[in-house]
Amino acid sequence: MLIALCSAKGAPGVTTSGLALALSWPGPVVLAELDPAGGDVLAGYGRGEVSAGGLADLALVARRGGLAGHLETRLLRLDEEGRARLLPGLADPAVARHVDWDRLATVLASVEDGAVDVLADCGRLRAEHFPAAVVGRAAAVVVVTGSTLRAVRAGTQAIAELREGDRRAGVLAALVVGPGEPYGEREIGEALGVPVVGSLPRDAKSAAVLSDGAPAGRLFAQSALLRAARTVATRLVEFAAAHESRLTPPPAASVLAPAATVGGGRVR
């Protein structure tokens, strides 16, 4: 099942939210960094880890032929168990213009015939070379928004843009970061006109682990951010699955296999 995460102007970090969700996912998941502005997980959570593969390598493979069978060699483990894996994003944003988003969307939408979920971090909605084809193949499209008046207004515009011209295949939803500043989930859902799958608190200490590679500490897994992420992840799986029947993705061969981990349990 493919789920796309994107943000509106001035919204809080999609990447940090996506990483928190991936580490809290109830089943096998791949976090695909598709932000055309470049990937941040290896530089932050991975503490400067360098990968020779990732999205840029897949883009080159796509230009030479098919992608099926190549994805697994570009994935890195985000946890020791290998339940959460990462497709590293672009090191050079200039490469975004050469990515065949249509081919990539087809592969991501049918990973392991749906047995492995894919969280696609698509970045800011109006960015140049935005992966619209991936959004169009997703079972659910989640707009990440803050709870300030400015953030909610931008989120409303983003929802309207996603609805224009039937550009998306999946159902729309919102994820709130920092609720109560001053609006809550119910008010934001009413303003956006879409369901809110949950919220993530502004837990600066835990967020720094994900965004900048700060030491996790033994209580990181029980932090407010990770506890909330587990709740949201479960809701999001159920929400997307309930609407997945609207999509009819073509079958694809199995493309995942065990991967290498990132830094001491994080991205290798």
Side-chain angles (χ1 to χ4, degrees), residues 133-218:
V134 175
V135 170
R137 291 298 303 270
V141 181
V142 181
V143 175
V144 181
T145 180
S147 65
T148 64
L149 179 59
R150 179 173 61 89
V152 174
R153 180 183 178 185
T156 302
Q157 294 171 338
I159 293 294
E161 185 170 340
L162 284 166
R163 282 177 169 153
E164 286 177 4
D166 195 28
R167 292 173 54 193
R168 48 91 187 172
V171 65
L172 293 171
L175 169 63
V176 180
V177 175
E181 299 175 354
Y183 302 110
E185 291 182 25
R186 181 183 60 80
E187 295 167 299
I188 293 172
E190 291 175 353
L192 299 184
V194 299
V196 175
V197 292
S199 59
L200 299 178
R202 289 197 185 279
D203 182 352
K205 183 176 181 180
S206 299
V209 175
L210 303 177
S211 62
D212 298 301
R218 62 186 181 87

Side-chain angles (χ1 to χ4, degrees), residues 34-38 90 92-101 128-130:
L34 309 185
D35 188 342
L90 301 173
D92 180 4
V95 177
R97 72 186 66 181
H98 302 299
V99 177
D100 188 332
W101 297 116
E128 188 176 13
H129 308 301
F130 179 78

